[in-house]
Amino acid sequence: FFFFQAEDGIRDAQESRGLGDVYKRQSLLNKILKTKSKNLILISQRTAFFSHLSKFATVDPNSLSEKNPGKCQNFVSGQWKDTKKFVDIVDPLNGEKFLKVTDTQENEIQEYIDNLRKVPKTGLHNPLKNPERYTMLGEMMSRVATVTADPEVFEFFTKLIQRVMPKSYPQARGEFQVTHKFFWNVCQDQPRFMLRSFNVAGDHPGQQSTGYRFPYGPVAIITPFNFPIEISALQLVGCLLAGNRPVIKLSLIHI
């Protein structure tokens, strides 16, 4: 039995750079499989070993209810934080209040403003500043693409979409499929190519026109309700890859 997880977006074991910890996990897996344990225990160990979902999921979309509501938080200054007030989201199938969404008030936005002001108009990176961040973000997108390719994770986000937006299963799955493909498309060196500069010859000897794709710095994103993951993720990631620092406001039009 051989398990290989592509950390750099290359799924072939011989071709991938591996980024180190892949092989450590391979060694650990071999030890687990050689353990003389009962089948039930071995299966439990292997399930926990392979699971990406358990590392980040805080809700079960199939069990959300008024007795077991999900709670959203804001992410600012590198931390997940509550707000003083929350908005209750009603389940359209039964009328239960099954989600609590942050209701950020005017007296709570200063921290967001301060974070935006820390970013210059030249962004966190651009073609002439901190170009190593293009590589860092490309590797991060490879990891995101690998995790979202996990069937369990794929099903998780498909069900989450269905709980907040009245879509059929194929429609919800299609939305996350587009999102997942976007992550693959911006892996590795793609951020720098996506934001590459251009050069055009001028009218006279030695004359050239050079254009650079520069970030804006602090930016805001307000997303619609009908594609809760796809549009939010694509716009958010695009801003980050370009070197911007975004603040994102999700739609609450369905309240």
Side-chain angles (χ1 to χ4, degrees):
F1 184 88
F2 179 76
F3 169 71
F4 179 78
Q5 178 173 336
E7 294 289 344
D8 59 353
I10 303 175
R11 306 187 69 81
D12 183 84
Q14 303 303 319
E15 297 294 332
S16 176
R17 297 195 302 273
L19 301 183
D21 58 340
V22 172
Y23 305 108
K24 295 178 183 178
R25 288 200 292 273
Q26 176 64 47
S27 176
L28 176 59
L29 176 61
N30 290 336
K31 291 180 181 179
I32 292 176
L33 295 179
K34 291 178 181 178
T35 302
K36 295 181 180 179
S37 303
K38 293 182 179 180
N39 290 338
L40 183 60
I41 297 177
L42 180 58
I43 291 173
S44 175
Q45 288 176 328
R46 288 175 60 187
T47 300
F49 181 81
F50 285 114
S51 177
H52 291 112
L53 192 61
S54 62
K55 303 297 190 299
F56 65 85
T58 59
V59 297
D60 178 1
N62 297 307
S63 64
L64 288 174
S65 64
E66 192 159 356
K67 293 182 179 180
N68 183 38
K71 186 180 78 170
C72 298
Q73 292 180 299
N74 292 345
F75 188 76
V76 60
S77 301
Q79 296 181 326
W80 291 102
K81 297 184 179 182
D82 289 337
T83 52
K84 294 180 181 179
K85 295 183 179 180
F86 285 84
V87 176
D88 291 322
I89 306 297
V90 176
D91 189 334
L93 296 178
N94 53 30
E96 290 187 354
K97 299 176 181 178
F98 76 127
L99 284 177
K100 293 184 177 297
V101 178
T102 53
D103 186 14
T104 308
Q105 302 297 304
E106 186 175 350
N107 59 2
E108 296 177 294
I109 65 172
Q110 190 59 47
E111 186 174 6
Y112 301 88
I113 296 174
D114 292 341
N115 272 274
L116 292 175
R117 285 175 173 168
K118 292 178 182 179
V119 183
K121 289 290 291 182
T122 54
L124 295 172
H125 62 269
N126 60 53
L128 304 177
K129 183 180 78 172
N130 301 328
E132 66 278 3
R133 283 179 54 87
Y134 290 121
T135 302
M136 181 269 290
L137 290 168
E139 291 179 353
M140 183 181 74
M141 287 298 102
S142 294
R143 292 172 180 262
V144 173
T146 300
V147 171
T148 53
D150 184 329
E152 185 182 23
V153 174
F154 211 103
E155 181 72 7
F156 172 76
F157 282 106
T158 298
K159 290 294 185 181
L160 280 181
I161 292 171
Q162 281 194 293
R163 292 309 305 269
V164 299
M165 183 63 203
K167 292 185 177 183
S168 66
Y169 181 84
Q171 288 175 320
R173 185 175 177 82
E175 177 178 340
F176 194 68
Q177 176 73 15
V178 170
T179 307
H180 167 65
K181 289 294 185 182
F182 176 80
F183 295 144
W184 277 127
N185 288 336
V186 295
C187 283
Q188 293 304 302
D189 285 331
Q190 289 307 311
R192 75 177 78 212
F193 290 127
M194 182 176 67
L195 297 159
R196 63 182 179 271
S197 306
F198 63 87
N199 188 278
V200 180
D203 296 330
H204 309 286
Q207 184 185 52
Q208 291 182 331
S209 174
T210 302
Y212 293 100
R213 289 184 169 91
F214 267 70
Y216 285 98
V219 298
I221 305 170
I222 301 177
T223 60
F225 72 98
N226 54 333
F227 287 89
I229 289 182
E230 180 186 334
I231 295 180
S232 301
L234 268 59
Q235 300 300 320
L236 177 63
V237 171
C239 283
L240 294 173
L241 296 181
N244 298 300
R245 173 171 287 180
V247 57
I248 185 169
K249 174 68 172 66
L250 303 180
S251 172
L252 295 179
I253 194 172
H254 57 285
I255 294 178

